[in-house]
Every structure is written in C-alpha cells, then in structure tokens.
C-alpha cells in the first residue's frame, strides 16, 4: 500500500532520493509495522521519538503491530523541543 | 609531548565559557575582563573567534622585557610572566604583534596565557571543541584529514 | 554568596543613583531574578498605578547564578507593571548584559519616577550615573548601541535599550540587549520609554566571586553540563535547528494557529521551518541560517544567525540589512508567518530584523497584523486606514511595510502599535482580537493542545506559552507524554510547570535547560553557590510562592476570575482540520479543578490557608 513518509530535523538525512519538503511517497506491505518502516530507512530506533500517523502520536509499545492504512502520513522526529 | 591550543572558529558559539574558565583558574572569580583568552564576535559575518597567545618560539614579549620577567616553561613550551620580576612597563604589550599580552590595572602586572601549566581550563570548558589542546606538531591534522577525504573520487561518486 | 547583595536604586525624577543592600530574607524565599524583583515590585508600587505613569517602577534583575560558569548562566529579566495587560510583567532575556551587571557588582537595578529629559544609565563597576540621551532619543536600538559604544570608546560595554517604537508608545515595545536579544513581551520597553530612559550601558570588571563552595559548585556545574550535552534535545536538536524545528511538528499535530487563529494548520509551514532555514537558496546558494549562537555561559546555543537572500524585495537599496543578524525563532516565525498567512522566509527574516532594530515583540506584532488582516478581509478597515496597503492575509509586502511603520510609529503603524486588543476595540470588532488579559497568543492552538488553553487563561502575564510550557509534555513527550486532546490531569500538569518555571526563572539560568534538567539538577548548583540550603523541594515551594504572589498582585490590580478565559473563537469555532478537527477548548472543564489544586477560592484568589502556608506578602 501507498503511504507518505516524512522525516524531519536530523532524520532528514535518512530520506530516500526524491523527497520534497521532507516528504516522500513510499510503498509498504499491507500489514507492515512502524518499526519495519523505521528500520528500512535505517532511522536509529532510539532517535525515532515523535512518531505520528496523520498527526496522532503513536506509543512506542505499538510500533511492532500493524498500524498503517493506505494513504496514511507517517511523520517522525528525533527528540526536539523549543518555546 | 608539547601541546598547543588549537582554535576552530567554525565551532565557536560565542558562549564565553572559556573566558570564565580562564579567569576562574587564574583569579578565582568568573571575570571575562581578566581572561587571557578573548572571543571576538564578527557580527556582520556571523562568526565567533576565540584568540589568545600562540606561545611563539622566539617571543617578542620575552625579548622585549627589560627585567627578564618572561620565561619559558620547558615542559609546556608556554611563555610565563613572573610577577615578582614584572614592573608593569608594558613594553611587551607594544612588542607583541598579536595583542595577546595585556596589562592588568588591578595588579599592575601584565597577564598572558600560560596554558595553565599544561591543563588549559578553556579547552576543558569549551562545550563545542572549538578550543582543543593537541600535539603541537600536528595542529593541521584535522584539516589535512578533511582534504584527504576528498581525494578518492571513486569512493564518493 | 553568588548574589552580590547590592542593587542600584535610580530615581529618574530627581536624577539620583544610590546603592542599597539586597533583602536577603526575600532572596531566601524568592531566590532572585523573577521572584525577587517581583517581591520588590509588589512591595513598592500600587497595583492600580498607571503603568506608563511615574509611580510604576521598572526593575532589571539578575539571578544568583547569572555570571557564573553554570550552563546558561547569563539570564536577566525586566519586571514592571505592564501597560499592555495591566498585570505584572516579567520579561526574560539572554545575551550578555545580565552577566555584565553581576560583573559590575550589582544584582538588580530599580528605576523609579520619570526623568524630565531623555537619559541613559551608565555603569562602570561602582560608578553609576545618569547621562543625557538627547543624541540617542529618536534613534533605533541598533544606532543607540553604536553611538553609546563610540561615546564611551569601549567596545566591551554591554547595552540594553529601547528603539523608536517604545518612544512612540507602541504597547508591545521590547528592551533589546546585545543587538538581537530581547526582554520581549508585555510592553516592558514601553514602560522604559515612558520614564524617558533610553538605555542602560554596563561595564563590569570586578567579576563574580563569593561562591559558597567553589569546588562543589564546579563539580555540580560540570555534571549538569554533561546532562545537557548527552540529551538529544539540548545537545543536538536545539543547537542544530533552534526552536524553529517546531514549525513542522506543531503543524503536523494540527495545533498551528493560522490566519489570526481561525485555522489550525498552515499550508506554508514547511517554507518557514528550520528545515527551510537550512536549505541552500536560489539567490546565492547559501542557506538562510549562517550559524548558531549562544548567550553568556550557554552550552546549548540555540540562537540563530541569519541573512536575507540578496535581491529580496524587502532589502532593495537597504545595505544595512544585508549582513548577518538575529534570525527567526519559532514564535517569531509563527506570528509573522503562519498567523498572517505569509510563507516568504526572507520577508519573515526581514520583519524579525526590524523588530530587533527598533525593539518590538514579534509575537504581539505579528498577531496584531493578523487581527488587522482579518478586519481588512471583513471590510472593517480598508486602504484608507492602512496608508494604501492591501492588508491581506498572505501579503509579504504588507507585513514588511507594517514592521517599518510600527518601528517609527508612522501612519497605520500608530494603530498597529496599539496591540491586537485595543486595535480591534477601536474598530468595533473586539472579538477578532486573539488575546488573554490583553496580551497576544503565542504559537500553539488551545483546541489542538488542551493544556495550553489552561496555560494561556491562567498565565500571570496574559497569553504566554513560557509560563507553563505543557507543550513539552503534551506534544513533545518531554519529560513524559500526555494526550494533547484530553483535558484530564491538565490542571495538575499546568500547576507543576508554572511552579517549576517560576523557580527556574528566578535562578539566572535558562528555562531551555528544563528539557534535560529537573529541579534535581538545579538544586546542587544553587546549594553549592548560594547562602542557605537549596533542595528541589525548596525550589518548588519558592516557585509556588512566586506564582501566588504574582496572582495576588494581579487581583489587587483589578483582575478577576472572569479574566481567566479565552476569546470566544476557541469555544465557538471548531478546529477545521487535522487531529483536533471538530474540537473546541475544554477550558471550562479544566479551570475549576485548577483553582482547587492551586488552593484558591472560586473567585481566583489564594485562600487564607494558601496565603499562610506560603507566607505570602
């Protein structure tokens, strides 16, 4: 299935070729887990801190289960903060 | 091995921890106005550059001093000011082309970097490795390595 | 000691300057900086006084750890009664002047009265005198800085000053220090100018000594520095990307207030984000961001130094803006960009430069422009009001011109200088002002981040994100993650953040350390440096005391529970996209519980039991 992958801040370096505005369309297997996507693009798991599907935060404990649906937007940040 | 203070301005953020460390080490107070190392802000260029004595082998300050108050520390290679001999004539401050030896009005003597006897406080305090204390014969090593890394086009193609 | 235990009292009416001893009982209860200065303010002014009159006082204040090697030990604050809100104002800034004040031997400066003529205060260690500012009045903050340096022939003097906007009565004028740092919010600069005080110039060569236990202090400092270095946020994220890293985060979670806070996501967010600031640009192949920068003693270095793209319309024939200067923070980029609908990174950077040059709070400025844009769209104002400008959402030209006009107080700039609340009231549309207690909202939508709604409504200085930055927990998962869309548990969360932050704001250190530190990291540093015994519990209690003292002042100034609210927009208009779609603010559920956990009556005042427990003044 087709999903949108967005990697930001220091995770930008793990984006595949063709990404525009930190965003790229990717093909993933039907019941793939978040960790599978994270691992596939070599994002270190400890740096995948803010993991959002369509803007909703996903707990770390749920990253091994099938969470993605066709057309979802998966956005990932390392630990970040500001004011 | 003799070591030198190595400055990498690209890493400096202008935080002045080095100035505090220097003054704390030498005078027991956090007092950048008494620091032997100074950080310069080139505001328009967006650059910060720490600068201090580079411990010349043939030091103008040492040669100029009329009371032989500046001596060489054989272990560190640093040129050190002997306060009991210094008369505060300031001739060394005129002789040094780099401005890194200066008068201290509070003591009436001149002050300069003495590498803290071999464990420079500024290098320890610097949070970004803009100041490091490395082999005096190899201060160009990092830059050489960077350029060496660009030589194999096949590997980076 | 850490404190110098001395402060300057400057009577601007009489033109006198005197040294006084610091009240060390108060220092023990209120720490320093925010807490201590507010204690003095509360003692010395009538809460009902005119903020722009001679009876208001302006206090510039450092914390006990300002000017030490503790990481981020460079903060100072400006405390006064705000003309924008009528509440206590406490504006925190970094840069270098706070440390210089300590180096000169002073913890604090209290300005009272009003000078008959423009003056500036010049301090060199023990010598402090008021000098004529005739040649400075009518100059920008940048020019003032240049002239004072030249006049005293001393490049190492540090300067804090106001620009032309404050002189013109802009209600959100800031005090600019070291060219591009600011005590930004609540119109503290406006108060300074109302006293005919243009600048403070300080040179300190005494240094900061008197640390109670220097060896133990340095051990604690170095341990705490290591925690900052090892933490991904303070050690990597903030220095590399600055606070601007949040632009894409807050947009993705659907809490990005857009176009005067009508919508919650901005289609142009990426173009004005940290990632965009790092992109090589077409004009010259360089990125907007040149480097990061640190304030005095800071080992995080989140500051941004930027340039505007050559050839950009905003700097045509203006060489004075073509060099590097202070770049965009998230709050500024949000207010100047998302809130106005402008997605031109260079236009935002230009407006930000102008805000630094003439001392305006970019948050309040951008939010006021946004309110004006909504009124323009609704036909409430037109080009006859705006000096011919098409004041439409998304207009980079309008934004840039507006900044210039507010800087000098010319034409429509006078109206914009009123701030969002008074501007909207003037044109009969008060409901279009996105403010709480008269201060404009910052960059988080209360519908998308429920705890922030409570934060804004109860902040002691009007709408403010820093008073209790629950975004850290609700969105960023620092220290632990809570659900942004839920109202449950937010009363306790907001109180905890408010109290801890009040304590941190009183130490001389920067609140950004709290992304890695807890009060457990602050306490050993304070305990080793300062008289008395400083534990995390004592700090938390001091924070609660400071919060309640500020609240009490506001109540006596005339604030009531009815002022702990949000604009109707957040109760009536649902978020129209993203994860918070369909939601409004659940403030009404959170507020009663908040009063309870605070130990306050239903009218929002501290109960007698709370007053005596905290030994409130």
């Amino acid at each position: 299935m087709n999903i949108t992958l967005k990697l930001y801040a220091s995770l930008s370096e793990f984006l595949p070729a063709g990404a525009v505005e930190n965003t790229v369309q990717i093909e993933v297997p039907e019941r793939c887990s978040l960790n599978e996507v994270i691992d596939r693009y070599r994002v270190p798991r400890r740096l995948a801190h803010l993991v959002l599907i369509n803007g909703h935060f996903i707990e770390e404990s749920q990253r091994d289960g099938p969470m993605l649906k066709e057309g979802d937007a998966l956005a990932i940040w390392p630990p970040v903060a500001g004011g | 091995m003799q070591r030198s203070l190595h400055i990498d301005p690209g890493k400096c953020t202008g935080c002045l921890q080095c100035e505090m460390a220097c003054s704390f080490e030498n005078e027991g107070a956090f007092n950048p106005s008494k620091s032997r190392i100074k950080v310069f802000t080139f505001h328009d260029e967006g650059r910060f550059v720490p600068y201090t004595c580079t411990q010349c082998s043939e030091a103008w300050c040492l040669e100029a001093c009329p009371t032989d108050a500046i001596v060489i520390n054989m272990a560190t290679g640093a040129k050190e000011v002997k306060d009991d001999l210094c008369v505060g004539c300031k001739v060394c401050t005129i002789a040094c082309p780099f401005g890194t030896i200066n008068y201290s009005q509070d003591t009436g003597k001149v002050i300069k970097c003495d590498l803290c006897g071999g464990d420079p406080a500024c290098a320890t305090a610097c949070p970004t490795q803009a100041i490091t204390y490395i082999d005096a014969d190899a201060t160009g090593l990092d830059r050489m390595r960077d350029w060496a890394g660009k030589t194999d086009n096949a590997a980076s193609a | 000691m850490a404190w110098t235990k001395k402060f300057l009292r400057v009577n601007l009416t009489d033109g006198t300057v005197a040294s006084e001893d610091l009240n060390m009982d108060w220092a023990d209860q209120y720490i320093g900086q925010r807490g201590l200065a507010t204690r003095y303010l509360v003692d010395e002014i009538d809460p009902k006084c005119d903020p722009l009159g001679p009876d208001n006082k302006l206090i510039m204040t450092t914390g006990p750890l300002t000017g030490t090697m503790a990481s981020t030990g460079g903060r100072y604050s400006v405390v006064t009664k705000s003309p924008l809100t009528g509440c206590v104002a406490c504006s925190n800034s970094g840069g270098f002047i706070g440390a210089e004040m300590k180096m000169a031997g002073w913890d604090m400066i209290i300005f009272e009265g009003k000078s008959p003529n423009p003056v500036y205060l010049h301090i060199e260690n023990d010598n402090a005198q008021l000098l004529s500012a005739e040649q400075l009045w009518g100059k920008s903050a940048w020019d003032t800085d240049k002239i004072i340096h030249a006049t005293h022939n001393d490049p190492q003097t540090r300067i804090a000053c106001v620009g032309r906007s404050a002189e013109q009565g802009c209600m959100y004028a800031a005090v600019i220090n070291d060219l591009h740092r600011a005590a930004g919010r609540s119109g503290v600069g406006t108060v300074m100018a109302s006293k005919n005080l243009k600048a403070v110039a300080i040179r300190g060569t005494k240094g900061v000594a008197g640390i109670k236990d220097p060896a133990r202090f340095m051990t604690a400092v170095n341990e705490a520095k290591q925690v900052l270095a090892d933490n991904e946020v303070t050690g990597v994220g903030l220095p590399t990307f600055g606070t601007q890293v949040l632009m894409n985060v807050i947009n993705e979670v659907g809490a990005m207030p857009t176009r005067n806070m009508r919508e919650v996501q901005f289609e142009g967010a990426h173009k004005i984000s940290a990632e965009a600031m790092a992109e090589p640009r077409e004009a010259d192949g360089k990125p907007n961001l040149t480097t990061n920068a640190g304030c005095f003693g800071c080992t995080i270095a989140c500051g941004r130094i930027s340039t505007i793209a050559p050839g950009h319309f905003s700097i045509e024939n203006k060489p004075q803006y073509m060099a590097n200067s202070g770049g965009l923070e998230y709050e500024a980029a949000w207010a100047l960009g998302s809130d106005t609908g402008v997605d031109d990174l260079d236009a935002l950077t230009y407006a930000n430069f102008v805000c630094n040059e003439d001392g305006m709070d970019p948050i309040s400025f951008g939010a006021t422009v946004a309110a004006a844009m909504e009124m323009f769209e609704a036909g409430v104002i037109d080009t006859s009001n705006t000096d011919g400008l098409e004041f439409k959402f998304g207009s980079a030209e309008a934004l840039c011109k507006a900044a210039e006009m507010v800087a000098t107080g010319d034409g429509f700039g006078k109206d914009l200088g009123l701030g969002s609340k008074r501007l909207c009231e003037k044109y009969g549309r008060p409901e279009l002002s996105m403010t709480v207690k008269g201060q404009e909202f910052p960059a988080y939508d209360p519908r998308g981040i429920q705890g922030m709604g409570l934060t804004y409504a109860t902040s002691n200085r009007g709408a403010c994100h820093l008073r209790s930055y629950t975004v850290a927990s609700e969105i960023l998962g620092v220290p632990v993650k809570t659900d942004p869309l839920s109202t449950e548990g937010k009363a306790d969360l907001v109180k905890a953040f408010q109290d801890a932050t009040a304590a941190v704001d009183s130490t001389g250190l920067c609140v950004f350390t709290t992304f890695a530190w807890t009060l457990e990291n602050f306490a050993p540093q304070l305990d080793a440096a300062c008289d008395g015994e400083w534990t995390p519990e004592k700090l938390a209690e001091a924070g609660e005391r400071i919060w309640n003292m500020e609240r009490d002042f506001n109540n006596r100034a005339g604030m009531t529970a009815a002022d702990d609210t949000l604009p109707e927009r957040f109760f009536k208009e649902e978020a129209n996209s993203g994860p918070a779609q369909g939601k409004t603010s659940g403030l009404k559920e959170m507020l009663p519980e908040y009063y309870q956990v605070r130990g306050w009556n239903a009218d929002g005042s501290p109960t007698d039991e709370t007053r005596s427990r905290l030994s409130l003044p």
Side-chain angles (χ1 to χ4, degrees), chain B residues 129-144:
Chain B
Q129 314 284 300
I131 306 170
T132 49
Y133 189 50
I134 58 177
D135 179 357
D137 292 355
T139 52
L141 213 59
D142 282 349
R143 288 192 202 173
M144 255 205 272

Side-chain angles (χ1 to χ4, degrees), chain A residues 6 8-10 12 21-22 46-47 49-50 52 54-57 59 73 75 77-83, chain C residues 232-233 238 241 243 245-246 248-249 252-253 270-271 275 330-331 444 465 469 475-477 481 512 515 579:
Chain A
K6 305 196 251 193
Y8 291 101
S10 55
S12 310
E21 293 198 348
N22 294 77
R46 65 171 181 87
L47 287 185
H49 177 77
L50 274 185
L52 311 179
N54 302 329
H56 291 276
F57 179 79
E59 297 280 347
W77 281 265
V80 290
Chain C
E232 186 69 22
V233 174
L238 277 175
F241 298 104
T243 59
V245 74
L246 292 179
N248 282 320
V249 177
E252 188 74 12
V253 301
H270 197 281
K271 295 201 171 71
E275 288 85 357
Y330 171 57
E331 289 294 333
Y444 308 92
H465 60 299
Y469 190 67
I475 300 295
L476 307 174
K481 183 81 171 63
F512 278 3
F515 297 131

Side-chain angles (χ1 to χ4, degrees), chain B residues 10-17 20-21 24 28-34 38 42-48 106 121 125 127-128, chain C residues 67-69 96 103 156 158 179-180 205-208 211 217-218 225 291-299 301 305 323-325:
Chain B
K11 294 184 177 154
C12 180
T13 65
C15 78
L16 307 188
Q17 281 276 348
M20 279 197 280
F24 189 60
F30 305 118
N31 195 351
S33 73
K34 297 288 182 286
K38 300 300 292 178
F42 298 101
H43 185 261
D44 288 352
E45 294 167 51
R47 275 197 325 135
F48 310 99
D106 287 353
T128 61
Chain C
T68 70
M69 269 177 87
F96 299 87
M103 300 290 161
Q156 298 189 84
R158 302 287 188 185
L179 295 177
H180 55 87
T205 62
K206 292 169 145 183
V208 173
I211 301 296
F217 179 64
M218 289 309 294
K225 278 177 178 172
T291 186
N292 65 324
C295 294
F296 185 89
C298 178
T299 62
I305 303 293
N324 276 278
S325 198

Side-chain angles (χ1 to χ4, degrees), chain B residues 109-123:
Chain B
K109 314 281 179 189
V110 291
I111 58 175
K112 70 177 290 298
C113 171
D114 63 3
L115 297 176
C116 297
D119 186 14
C122 55

Side-chain angles (χ1 to χ4, degrees), chain C residues 83 164-173 187 189-190 359-360 406 416-418:
Chain C
R164 293 169 290 180
S165 68
E167 297 169 5
Q168 295 296 320
C170 170
M171 294 293 271
Y172 45 86
T190 322
M360 293 109 71
V406 176
L416 290 172
L418 292 170

Side-chain angles (χ1 to χ4, degrees), chain A residues 1 28-37 63-70:
Chain A
M1 59 182 172
V28 298
E30 273 293 326
R31 290 180 60 75
C32 103
S33 73
L34 296 179
N35 274 333
E36 279 170 55
V37 182
R63 294 190 200 168
D64 280 317
M67 298 290 304
L68 293 161
K69 295 181 325 297
E70 169 81 31

Side-chain angles (χ1 to χ4, degrees), chain C residues 153-432:
Chain C
N153 197 17
D154 179 24
Q156 298 189 84
T157 296
R158 302 287 188 185
I159 295 162
C161 60
V162 293
R164 293 169 290 180
S165 68
E167 297 169 5
Q168 295 296 320
C170 170
M171 294 293 271
Y172 45 86
V175 179
I176 300 293
N177 62 290
D178 308 298
L179 295 177
H180 55 87
R181 304 302 308 197
R185 306 221 68 192
S186 311
V188 297
T190 322
V191 173
M192 187 165 164
S194 78
K195 296 186 174 307
N196 270 334
L197 177 65
K198 179 68 175 175
V200 178
I202 308 179
R203 181 81 156 97
T205 62
K206 292 169 145 183
V208 173
I211 301 296
K212 185 168 83 186
D213 184 337
R216 184 157 65 93
F217 179 64
M218 289 309 294
T219 303
V221 160
N222 289 330
E223 275 169 13
K225 278 177 178 172
Q226 196 59 46
V227 172
L228 290 178
D230 293 339
N231 180 287
E232 186 69 22
V233 174
T234 51
V236 178
L238 277 175
T240 315
F241 298 104
T243 59
Q244 267 281 67
V245 74
L246 292 179
M247 184 63 72
N248 282 320
V249 177
I250 303 303
N251 196 49
E252 188 74 12
V253 301
M256 167 75 58
T258 299
R259 285 175 279 265
N260 203 32
M261 308 188 84
R262 280 198 306 220
E263 305 138 69
V264 293
Q265 288 183 303
F266 181 45
E267 67 284 358
H270 197 281
K271 295 201 171 71
I272 59 175
S273 65
E275 288 85 357
M277 285 170 73
E279 273 291 305
R281 54 199 176 197
E282 244 184 83
D284 60 355
K286 293 185 192 165
N288 170 289
L289 179 74
T290 302
T291 186
N292 65 324
C295 294
F296 185 89
C298 178
T299 62
I300 301 174
C302 73
R304 307 288 91 190
I305 303 293
S306 290
T307 56
I308 297 170
H312 190 257
F313 78 85
S314 65
I315 56 171
E316 206 178 309
N317 300 319
K318 296 182 195 165
Q320 69 272 32
Y321 299 107
M322 293 179 183
N324 276 278
S325 198
L328 290 164
E329 296 301 328
Y330 171 57
E331 289 294 333
W334 165 76
L336 301 170
S338 314
D339 207 29
T340 63
V342 177
D343 65 2
D344 179 337
L345 184 65
D346 292 296
L348 267 50
T349 305
Y350 174 73
N352 193 55
F353 278 12
V354 173
C355 284
N356 285 337
E357 182 183 25
D358 265 299
M360 293 109 71
D361 170 15
I363 302 175
S364 290
F365 166 71
T368 302
V369 166
M373 285 174 166
E374 185 164 2
M375 287 201 290
F376 190 88
E377 190 185 76
V380 174
I381 58 175
D382 58 38
T383 50
S384 69
N385 304 105
T386 65
D387 296 325
L389 277 178
E390 289 287 331
F391 224 70
K392 292 184 175 151
F393 279 120
S395 169
E397 195 208 338
L399 175 77
C400 292
K401 213 72 201 77
E404 293 165 10
M405 296 193 297
V406 176
T408 55
D410 287 332
F412 189 47
K414 239 342 194 246
D415 262 357
L416 290 172
L418 292 170
S420 158
K421 174 167 181 275
R422 289 171 178 81
L423 178 70
C424 291
E425 279 167 2
K426 175 174 173 175
Y427 289 102
R429 297 298 294 271
E431 77 285 1
L432 294 184

